[in-house]
Amino acid sequence: RPAPARLIFSMRPLHSADAPPSPTAAEQSMGVLWPLRDLAHLMPVPLRQAYSRVNMSKPELNQLDVQEAIARWQRFPGDTGSTEVQVAVCTKRIEFLGRHMQEHRKDMDAKRFMVMQVEKRARLLKYLRRTDRSKYQEVIGQLQIRPQRSFDPTLPQRPKRLKLKGRRRR
C-alpha cells in the first residue's frame, strides 16, 4: 500500500474573509506573472516563488516590464491608449529589440521591426510635443530619449558633408 500523499503547499480557501497578509520587502520585489497578479497575495510563498521573476522566461520578463511602464504612465486605471503610455511601450520594445540585435546581428526582421518602432515613437513624440509641451519634456526626461530632429524641428540641422569632386587622394 503506497504512503499517503503529503501536501506540499498549505491549503487556504480563496474566499477568505480576512485581509491578505502584508508581504515582506523581499516578496514585494518579487514580481509575479502578469495573468496571476490579482491572485499573488492568495498564493502560498513557495508557489509565489515558483512564479517569480527569477523563474520567468525572457518574453514573460519583457511583458512584465511593459506592464510596469504602462502602470507608470497611465492617466487612469486601464489607460493603454494615451500618448505617454504608447511612447513608454515603444521605448521598452526598442530596448528589447536592441538587446536581441546585439546577440543576433543578422536578424533583419528584428532590425526592420526596431526601425518601425523608432519611427512610431518619433510620430507619437511629435504629436505629444505639439499638444502638451510639459508632458513631452517629462516623457523624454524620464525615458531618457534624446531629442531628434525627426520629432523636434527646433533642433539645428546637422552640417552637410562636403562633396569632393573627383577621386580622393591618399
Side-chain angles (χ1 to χ4, degrees):
R1 179 176 170 141
R6 286 185 5 199
L7 284 176
I8 297 174
F9 305 112
S10 63
M11 299 303 286
R12 186 168 46 137
L14 290 178
H15 58 280
S16 175
D18 50 282
S22 61
T24 63
E27 291 175 27
Q28 283 179 343
S29 66
M30 182 177 18
V32 177
L33 282 175
W34 184 250
L36 303 174
R37 67 191 181 279
D38 297 331
L39 302 173
H41 68 279
L42 299 174
M43 290 182 194
V45 175
L47 190 58
R48 204 170 328 145
Q49 288 172 347
Y51 287 114
S52 70
R53 270 186 181 268
V54 177
N55 297 321
M56 288 185 192
S57 67
K58 197 62 184 167
E60 290 168 341
L61 287 171
N62 292 348
Q63 182 189 29
L64 204 59
D65 288 345
V66 166
Q67 295 302 329
E68 288 171 1
I70 289 172
R72 159 67 179 93
W73 289 102
Q74 65 187 357
R75 295 178 183 173
F76 53 87
D79 175 25
T80 57
S82 64
T83 312
E84 306 89 53
V85 171
Q86 291 183 54
V87 168
V89 170
C90 282
T91 302
K92 286 294 180 187
R93 287 185 179 158
I94 291 167
E95 289 173 8
F96 306 150
L97 289 167
R99 285 195 300 264
H100 174 79
M101 289 298 294
Q102 286 176 348
E103 276 184 48
H104 309 281
R105 296 194 182 278
K106 295 186 178 185
D107 188 352
M108 292 300 121
D109 287 334
K111 182 178 180 181
R112 177 178 169 270
F113 189 67
M114 188 163 85
V115 168
M116 288 169 48
Q117 288 295 312
V118 168
E119 290 173 356
K120 179 180 179 181
R121 183 178 71 177
R123 283 193 309 269
L124 290 166
L125 285 169
K126 191 174 187 180
Y127 171 78
L128 188 61
R129 183 181 180 278
R130 195 173 61 235
T131 57
D132 189 357
R133 188 69 61 99
S134 63
K135 188 58 87 170
Y136 164 79
Q137 292 295 336
E138 181 185 352
V139 167
I140 64 170
Q142 292 287 322
L143 296 176
Q144 299 173 351
I145 300 172
R146 282 192 317 255
Q148 301 286 325
R149 186 141 173 85
S150 62
F151 55 84
D152 193 352
T154 60
L155 293 175
Q157 285 187 343
R158 294 171 61 190
K160 295 187 178 186
R161 291 178 54 188
L162 296 174
K163 291 186 178 180
L164 300 175
K165 295 191 179 193
R167 296 181 93 196
R168 252 191 205 172
R169 297 185 188 203
R170 295 181 192 207

